[in-house]
Amino acid sequence: MIGAPPHRPAPPAPRTLLDALAGQLRPGGGRGIRLLDDRGRASYCAYSELLVEAAAAGRALDRAGLRRGDRLLILLPTCRTLVTTLLGCLGRGILPCPVDPGPGWSRWEDGPPEALAAARRLAVRGIVVAARRVASLARLHEPGDPLVLPAEGLRSAPAIGSEEPRLALGPADPAVLLDAAPGEPGEPVLLTHGGLVAHLTALGRALRVSEREVLCTLGRLDGWLGLVDGLLLGLFCGFDQVLLSREWADGQPGRWLDALAAFRCTLVLAEESAYGLAAHRLPAEALEPARDLSSLRRAIAVSRTVRPGTLQAFSRRFREQGLPPDLFLPAYGLAAAAGIFTLGRPGAAPLADRFDRRSLAPGGFVHTAGAADSRGRLMLSSGEPLPGQELGIFDPQGRRRGEGVVGRICGRGRAFAPAAEPEGWHDTGDLGFVMEGELFVVGRRGEELDLGGLRYEPAELEAIATEVPGIRGRGAAAFALGGETGSQPVLVVAPDGKTGRQQRGLLADRLGRRVGRTIGVRPQVVLVPGALLPAVRRGQVHREEGRARLFAEPAPGDGEGAQSPPALPGEPVRGSEGG
């Protein structure tokens, strides 16, 4: 045909992250990252500029003695240097292990011992840390400990000689090491180039993204939520993104909403709790009419169990600010799957129903609750597996179960890290069931509260606490403690700084009643200082760690009740009666 444009063959599919990133080196591509630091100051950098800086960081690491296959602990908060160091490692075949020090390390009281303990456990060759922290680590340094490198020294290593040859990597080569936060138990997860490419390809297709997207991610860059499904997804697919310092975003729920409006974001990726805090904790005077959220087309809510009420409350609260309807996609993810594993279907409402709690026990066939069952559990599906991933429900003997039967949630596929389970299945540690091809997550195995033969999840009680003014955001943990009359639910919370001593008893009573009305069981509410709450790492409450610190439960047969935790000064330990 005359005048027809010449045929251009499609570029080959990337085999590694380096193949994908090479396409972002085009000068003037116009895509990049807008980063808001811990003071809310915004800076923009094109991907092409970031990758040039990353090459300089890679040269600096090479001159410091790090080689292909070495592990590097990157101990930095969300910042530009963290991004370029991560990418510099990829270009050199060095395995980055990012760990965000978090607000607890801002005073650097426990930082050096924790950092060196993590470095020794992970067998890293080096540690990258802010220059002002180097001396603190040096005082504790022992022979054989890793190199300590100031982050500021990685920014401007000049190239020497001709253009550097590109490293030859394959899909099976390791790319990123995701570890728990400092002091957190658990094995690190090794993600390969092939696994990450498979995951990012599948996630981009499931979200139906284009180069015109603007993604805002509320997740630290030391976990899959912020690093893989945030930073790397934007780089891989070639669209703009906004990265927020978690300390700045957590300061006030309205801040990240302002970022969505200011930068006309089309996608937002966050834990469900972030939407809940914005829906319930943002003061009425902070609902600025000028905040326009109409540019959003997808909001991904990540949680082990996404609560329908959270998404409904967020939608109602911000409808007048242009928030489109049918925006939310519930998601369930894990590090071994490189990120999101199941996702709601765009354009379709997620499945939801109220289920009889007695049917949610392992091995049970689930059925819906009757109209008169006030204790039924309203559940929302977490969607279906990403393309190329497979979901399976298994019993303890390893037999695969059909739809509607509660069992162990397992997954497999190209994106998964190598698994020890037969036939490549990875056991997530969670219980759930499948209905109409979609996953419903019941909860974490071993963490359930068995109350009179009915199964309750700690997260159900904890989420309700975020809805009550006067409680710290993400400041709750639920346990079941044994007693003469059986298990009793206990909800441990920390009041915020605005709640005075005279108000704390009323606060505990109000929270106990709210939980009772919502799920049919009223817990004992315990008020404690914030420092005594169980840690929340990557969105997960470490309840066993908190229980050990707060309660001393006797061995069976001792005939004594559990000890009470230390209460706030001037307050009774038990803030409300059970029942």
Side-chain angles (χ1 to χ4, degrees):
M1 174 186 261
I2 298 176
H7 173 69
R8 293 182 180 179
R15 298 172 66 247
T16 70
L17 282 176
L18 292 184
D19 295 336
L21 297 181
Q24 303 300 336
L25 281 170
R26 303 186 302 272
R31 307 297 179 190
I33 295 176
R34 184 167 276 104
L35 179 68
L36 275 71
D37 65 15
D38 55 5
R39 297 183 182 178
R41 297 171 299 192
S43 60
Y44 183 82
C45 186
Y47 288 145
S48 56
E49 296 174 23
L50 280 175
L51 292 172
V52 170
E53 294 177 20
R59 290 191 293 269
L61 293 173
D62 181 75
R63 292 170 194 173
L66 277 86
R67 299 292 179 262
R68 178 175 178 173
D70 285 341
R71 297 180 174 190
L72 180 69
L73 182 66
I74 307 175
L75 200 62
L76 297 172
T78 300
C79 63
R80 184 166 174 160
T81 304
L82 171 59
V83 174
T84 56
T85 305
L86 280 165
L87 300 178
C89 286
L90 291 176
R92 292 281 169 169
I94 298 167
L95 197 59
C97 179
V99 171
D100 190 325
W105 282 18
S106 60
R107 295 182 302 275
W108 203 247
E109 294 168 348
D110 301 320
E114 295 281 13
L116 287 175
R120 293 161 186 161
R121 177 172 52 83
L122 294 168
V124 301
R125 179 78 176 86
I127 304 175
V128 172
V129 69
R132 66 184 184 278
R133 309 300 191 194
V134 171
S136 301
L137 286 173
R139 286 195 293 270
L140 299 173
H141 205 272
E142 298 178 0
D145 276 345
L147 304 168
V148 180
L149 307 173
E152 290 79 355
L154 305 180
R155 293 176 180 168
S156 57
I160 298 177
S162 59
E163 184 177 348
E164 302 168 30
R166 183 174 167 188
L167 192 65
L169 293 174
D173 280 304
V176 174
L177 187 69
L178 289 184
D179 186 43
E184 181 182 349
E187 293 298 319
V189 176
L190 184 64
L191 302 178
T192 64
H193 278 269
L196 285 169
V197 167
H199 172 73
L200 295 171
T201 300
L203 183 57
R205 289 175 179 169
L207 291 173
R208 304 173 188 173
V209 299
S210 71
E211 291 187 354
R212 297 185 298 275
E213 308 292 355
V214 181
L215 170 67
C216 180
T217 306
L218 275 74
R220 300 186 193 280
L221 294 185
D222 60 351
W224 61 262
L225 181 67
L227 175 59
V228 179
D229 291 348
L231 173 66
L232 293 182
L233 180 67
L235 278 160
F236 186 83
C237 296
F239 51 70
D240 280 326
Q241 57 183 302
V242 178
L243 292 180
L244 308 178
S245 161
R246 188 61 181 269
E247 287 71 38
W248 178 78
D250 280 353
Q252 294 178 13
R255 287 174 172 173
W256 64 271
L257 296 171
D258 290 337
L260 296 182
F263 304 122
R264 308 301 295 159
C265 295
T266 61
L267 301 173
V268 58
L269 173 64
E271 297 166 0
E272 180 206 6
S273 59
Y275 299 107
L277 289 172
H280 298 291
R281 297 297 184 85
L282 192 65
E285 58 270 20
L287 291 175
E288 301 177 12
R291 185 189 290 132
D292 181 7
L293 301 177
S294 62
S295 62
L296 282 174
R297 68 178 193 87
R298 297 278 184 266
I300 303 147
V302 178
S303 177
R304 179 172 286 125
T305 53
V306 178
R307 299 175 66 235
T310 300
L311 309 189
Q312 293 165 0
F314 187 90
S315 297
R316 286 194 303 267
R317 190 88 195 272
F318 300 104
R319 184 183 301 135
E320 294 185 2
Q321 295 181 296
L323 192 72
D326 304 323
L327 180 79
F328 279 104
L329 299 178
Y332 168 75
L334 59 154
I340 289 174
F341 174 40
T342 66
L343 180 69
R345 287 177 284 187
L351 298 178
D353 213 332
R354 186 178 295 275
F355 296 94
D356 187 328
R357 290 183 184 273
R358 292 169 294 185
S359 70
L360 297 177
F365 190 88
V366 298
H367 53 268
T368 55
D373 185 358
S374 63
R375 298 192 178 190
R377 181 177 174 190
L378 181 61
M379 298 180 66
L380 187 72
S381 87
S382 297
E384 57 189 8
L386 296 184
Q389 307 281 55
E390 187 178 358
L391 167 66
I393 303 296
F394 291 82
D395 65 16
Q397 289 73 41
R399 296 172 298 199
R400 193 166 183 177
R401 307 308 301 266
E403 284 210 352
V405 179
V406 177
R408 297 183 301 144
I409 300 173
C410 297
R412 65 180 177 183
R414 287 187 57 202
F416 273 84
E421 296 289 318
E423 301 180 8
W425 289 102
H426 180 91
D427 187 345
T428 66
D430 294 326
L431 288 173
F433 60 93
V434 174
M435 279 276 196
E436 300 182 31
E438 299 193 12
L439 175 65
F440 287 79
V441 182
V442 174
R444 190 73 175 165
R445 291 205 305 271
E447 287 192 351
E448 69 275 9
L449 311 178
D450 186 353
L451 307 174
L454 301 180
R455 181 187 177 107
Y456 291 83
E457 300 306 316
E460 293 182 77
L461 285 70
E462 294 158 0
I464 295 169
T466 68
E467 302 172 4
V468 177
I471 304 296
R472 280 182 43 178
R474 300 187 179 91
F479 312 101
L481 296 181
E484 295 179 0
T485 60
S487 295
Q488 296 293 326
V490 175
L491 182 58
V492 179
V493 297
D496 61 24
K498 300 178 182 178
T499 304
R501 291 189 178 188
Q502 301 301 321
Q503 300 171 304
R504 291 171 186 163
L506 295 174
L507 174 63
D509 184 69
R510 186 166 66 249
L511 175 56
R513 292 177 183 274
R514 177 72 169 267
V515 174
R517 286 196 306 270
T518 305
I519 65 174
V521 170
R522 183 173 172 180
Q524 295 176 328
V525 176
V526 178
L527 300 178
V528 298
L532 292 181
L533 281 171
V536 180
R537 303 187 181 102
R538 311 238 174 97
Q540 304 301 324
V541 181
H542 286 246
R543 301 181 184 91
E544 288 305 313
E545 174 186 301
R547 186 204 299 265
R549 187 163 67 242
L550 287 168
F551 300 95
E553 292 199 75
D558 282 359
E560 297 179 5
Q563 295 181 11
S564 296
L568 284 167
E571 293 297 329
V573 173
R574 306 297 186 194
S576 66
E577 297 297 327

